[in-house]
Amino acid sequence: MNKFSSFAEFYPYYLSEHQNPVCRVLHYIGSTLVIAVLLYVLFTQQWVWLWLLPVIGYGFAWLGHFLFEHNKPATFQYPFYSLAADWVMFKDFLTGQLKHKLPVKSG
């Protein structure tokens, strides 16, 4: 059981739990849809659709973990760090920094 005292310690662990590219793509799809729904809600003021945000965001991510990564999502043990790390990973992907931060696969 890992204990992290900072986000800087947690983020490399989080990336190590996202080695499968399909899992990461599902995270990105979920994050993009969360932004789209949030913008829709803000522009239309149809607040009832806010319930979709966690369903979309976590749904796509958890499918990636269960079907492709075959590990338990970090959200279950580190909900706040995991949520922040998901957005940092998305930012790192969009800015081309992720490939330099992903751990090298062993084996």
Side-chain angles (χ1 to χ4, degrees), residues 1-11 13 77-78 81:
M1 186 77 55
N2 297 325
K3 295 285 183 186
F4 300 101
S5 60
S6 70
F7 181 78
E9 287 180 9
F10 175 79
Y11 190 55
Y13 163 76
Q77 190 173 2
Y78 302 100
Y81 277 167

Side-chain angles (χ1 to χ4, degrees), residues 7-66:
F7 181 78
E9 287 180 9
F10 175 79
Y11 190 55
Y13 163 76
Y14 182 84
L15 292 179
S16 76
E17 295 290 300
H18 294 82
Q19 292 291 307
N20 187 295
V22 177
C23 179
R24 290 193 308 270
V25 166
L26 287 168
H27 276 261
Y28 307 149
I29 291 169
S31 295
T32 302
L33 290 173
V34 162
I35 292 168
V37 169
L38 187 57
L39 289 173
Y40 173 79
V41 167
L42 291 173
F43 282 113
T44 65
Q45 297 186 1
Q46 293 188 27
W47 312 110
V48 68
W49 296 109
L50 287 174
W51 68 270
L52 277 175
L53 297 179
V55 173
I56 293 169
Y58 288 116
F60 277 90
W62 292 354
L63 280 175
H65 284 282
F66 296 134

Side-chain angles (χ1 to χ4, degrees), residues 79-98:
F80 300 111
Y81 277 167
S82 180
L83 180 61
D86 192 51
W87 289 106
V88 172
M89 182 175 72
F90 190 43
K91 182 268 305 176
D92 285 345
F93 166 71
L94 292 174
T95 60
Q97 298 174 44
L98 187 63

